[in-house]
Amino acid sequence: MRARSHAVLAASVVLALAAGPLAAPAFAAPPAPASRFADQRGPAEEALRAAIAGLPNQYATAALVRVGTTGGDWHGSAGVRDLAGGRPAHPDARFRAGSVTKVVTAATVLRLAAQDEIDLDAPVQGYLPDLFTPDFEQPISVRHLLNHTSGIKPGDGLGDDFAELYAHRYDTLTPQQVAASAIAKGPEDFVPGTRQQYLNINYTILGLLIEKVTGRSYASEATRLVLRPAGMHHTYFPGTDPRIRGPHNRGYQAVEGPDGTTRLVDVTEWNQAADRWAAGNMISTTADLERLLTKLFRGKIVPQPELGEMFTTPAGVTGATMSAGLEYQEADGQVFWGKSGGRYGYNAFIGGTRDLSRTLVCAVNSTDAKGTGRNPVVDAITAAALQ
């Protein structure tokens, strides 16, 4: 694969992701060519080992990687559990999966749709009438929330920069408060379904929808409908608990001081429930996320035709790359479906070809996990995984 194609896909990993029924819109899925990975012998083990060698460094303190191919699998880890003790990184560590949580939320909604408990074409205003104001005259379908074409503005969090957020890391905002703050701003100036804008608020409202139609908590339904069928026994939703239960590698964020020097702040403990919840408040392992990826793609969690929603982008939306819970990138003619997630101190990614001939799951304790730049460790892992 050309280096430029590596960089394009690696960048996507780092950056991150009451009316009558609506008529079903037209959708278009990207082409799915025969995988060029199908006849390969296995992962490029030497390149993968080199990609995570030398940790900790200025970009990351630890990395966990799992690559799957038709010719075999490769698992590796590098770095340290914590900077003070210097013990080797725990290979089965739990970590904050960030927006990879959206894959589980989307799958939960689609399971409920398959059970006729949710209509993907129905306006969400009808399901949650107490949330929306009369300003939202245009019907917003459940599908619009799933593929980020709703036109709902972002909700308010607990701060805008690291210092402010860190000071409030143990505080809590309820999902209802976050959703209400978004609705109070009124809709965006575009018709739902005509523009794609990636925002956590779409999945916060989907979490509220799950609770409304089932009468049970988001965490219990996502566990029942997705985590258990996928065999994700080491994954959980921490709620407002700031800790990571079980073995884990500590997370750090690089912060520049007033004198221009950079220090690493321990950000392991953090209440992520404030504005993440159903959009990004899941703790998992690379093995569990690999199980999710393979069973989901094989139709073992979400049945057809609902599974097709996860591999379909909205037609007629310029530049649309996101489906229900996933996003696609093309590299050397190959379509790679996946989802990245980033929280302070933690980055995660899951993805693969539609036929699972090549898969990648990784967790990197990036020191710039919420930065806007590229992370060389993630770039190197992605490039090696696609060789």
Side-chain angles (χ1 to χ4, degrees):
M1 182 176 291
R2 297 187 301 273
R4 183 176 180 276
S5 295
H6 284 159
V8 170
L9 189 53
S12 74
V13 175
V14 176
L15 296 176
L17 8 341
L22 302 175
F27 284 79
S35 176
R36 72 174 184 83
F37 299 123
D39 58 357
Q40 285 200 351
R41 295 181 179 179
E45 296 186 14
E46 185 176 344
L48 286 164
R49 282 193 290 269
I52 59 175
L55 296 182
N57 61 22
Q58 62 180 312
Y59 305 112
T61 58
L64 313 175
V65 182
R66 302 175 76 90
V67 175
T69 74
T70 55
D73 302 331
W74 186 87
H75 305 159
S77 63
V80 296
R81 298 186 190 188
D82 63 88
L83 293 176
R87 292 177 298 167
H90 199 299
D92 301 314
R94 290 177 174 177
F95 52 84
R96 300 193 187 281
S99 286
V100 176
T101 308
K102 291 182 176 69
V103 180
V104 172
T105 301
T108 302
V109 171
L110 294 173
R111 281 288 306 271
L112 292 170
Q115 297 168 189
D116 294 326
E117 295 185 58
I118 289 177
D119 182 349
L120 300 182
D121 295 316
V124 69
Q125 292 99 317
Y127 286 110
L128 300 168
D130 295 336
L131 174 62
F132 288 87
T133 66
D135 293 333
F136 288 80
E137 298 176 353
Q138 295 283 349
I140 299 171
S141 73
V142 176
R143 185 181 279 108
H144 291 149
L145 295 172
L146 285 167
N147 62 27
H148 298 282
T149 59
S150 70
I152 299 173
K153 293 178 180 178
D156 294 332
L158 290 168
D160 296 319
D161 59 18
F162 174 78
E164 189 175 9
L165 289 167
Y166 185 76
H168 292 282
R169 66 191 182 279
Y170 296 120
D171 296 346
T172 296
L173 284 175
T174 67
Q176 290 81 4
Q177 288 175 309
V178 175
S181 71
I183 298 302
K185 298 174 184 178
E188 292 282 6
D189 296 326
F190 65 87
V191 176
T194 62
R195 189 184 304 173
Q196 195 164 64
Q197 183 180 24
Y198 180 82
L199 291 173
N200 286 328
I201 190 62
N202 292 303
Y203 278 68
T204 297
I205 294 176
L206 285 173
L208 295 175
L209 171 64
I210 290 168
E211 294 194 337
K212 181 64 178 291
V213 300
T214 65
R216 293 178 287 272
S217 72
Y218 162 78
S220 65
E221 286 302 281
T223 299
R224 180 178 70 89
L225 294 174
V226 180
L227 302 192
R228 287 176 185 166
M232 301 171 70
H233 302 301
H234 302 288
T235 299
Y236 71 100
F237 302 97
T240 59
D241 187 349
R243 301 166 300 170
I244 299 177
R245 301 198 301 265
H248 60 276
N249 303 319
R250 300 195 72 82
Y252 301 88
Q253 175 68 24
V255 178
E256 185 175 340
D259 59 354
T261 60
T262 299
R263 64 189 178 96
L264 292 178
V265 176
D266 191 318
V267 291
T268 308
E269 291 193 0
W270 201 304
N271 173 10
Q272 303 287 342
D275 58 347
R276 303 302 165 182
W277 193 49
N281 193 26
M282 182 173 73
I283 290 174
S284 191
T285 67
T286 53
D288 271 9
L289 292 182
E290 188 175 58
R291 294 184 186 98
L292 172 65
L293 180 69
T294 55
K295 291 195 175 184
L296 183 64
F297 280 31
R298 288 173 179 158
K300 303 297 184 182
I301 299 174
V302 177
Q304 292 290 3
E306 287 76 18
L307 181 60
E309 299 285 340
M310 303 194 80
F311 300 98
T312 306
T313 56
V317 179
T318 304
T321 60
M322 290 171 282
S323 62
L326 297 175
E327 182 173 6
Y328 83 92
Q329 291 286 327
E330 292 186 40
D332 277 1
Q334 294 300 310
V335 176
F336 205 75
W337 290 92
K339 187 72 189 76
S340 62
R343 303 301 305 131
Y344 289 114
Y346 297 90
N347 275 131
F349 177 77
I350 67 171
T353 55
R354 181 66 183 87
D355 62 1
L356 294 172
S357 57
R358 180 66 48 125
T359 62
L360 168 62
V361 175
C362 66
V364 177
N365 288 79
S366 302
T367 57
D368 63 343
K370 292 297 289 180
T372 58
R374 299 268 294 281
N375 185 287
V377 176
V378 179
D379 276 4
I381 291 170
T382 307
L386 296 177
Q387 286 189 21

